[in-house]
Amino acid sequence: MIVRIFLSIIFIIVCVALTVLVLAQQGKDAGLGSIGGIGDTYWSKNKARSMEGKLVQFTKILAVAFMVIAVILNLNF
């Protein structure tokens, strides 16, 4: 019973954090610059090292945590 309550609280925290991270990210549209290949700039090639890249990585980690906790909470134990 205590484990279920603890997991529910962690699940709520993960849900709120995931929502905030998704809303904080920029859109993936390249705009009109992608027509002639102008969109391939230094910034677009090294985006994984930036703060935006770290937000995407942390979002993926939280999404996996969300799914795992949801499955665990759905089990009847």
Side-chain angles (χ1 to χ4, degrees), residues 30-70:
L32 293 176
S34 65
I35 294 173
I38 302 170
D40 292 335
T41 61
Y42 178 78
W43 170 252
S44 67
K45 291 180 182 177
N46 292 313
K47 205 175 216 182
R49 296 184 192 145
S50 68
M51 186 63 169
E52 180 71 23
K54 291 177 182 164
L55 281 175
V56 170
Q57 183 179 9
F58 198 58
T59 303
K60 290 177 185 177
I61 292 170
L62 281 180
V64 169
F66 174 84
M67 295 300 287
V68 169
I69 295 172

Side-chain angles (χ1 to χ4, degrees), residues 5-54:
I5 293 171
F6 177 73
L7 280 176
S8 296
I9 292 170
I10 297 297
F11 187 68
I12 291 170
I13 293 170
V14 167
C15 290
V16 171
L18 190 60
T19 303
V20 169
L21 283 178
V22 168
L23 291 175
Q25 292 178 17
Q26 295 177 357
K28 296 288 183 186
D29 56 345
L32 293 176
S34 65
I35 294 173
I38 302 170
D40 292 335
T41 61
Y42 178 78
W43 170 252
S44 67
K45 291 180 182 177
N46 292 313
K47 205 175 216 182
R49 296 184 192 145
S50 68
M51 186 63 169
E52 180 71 23
K54 291 177 182 164

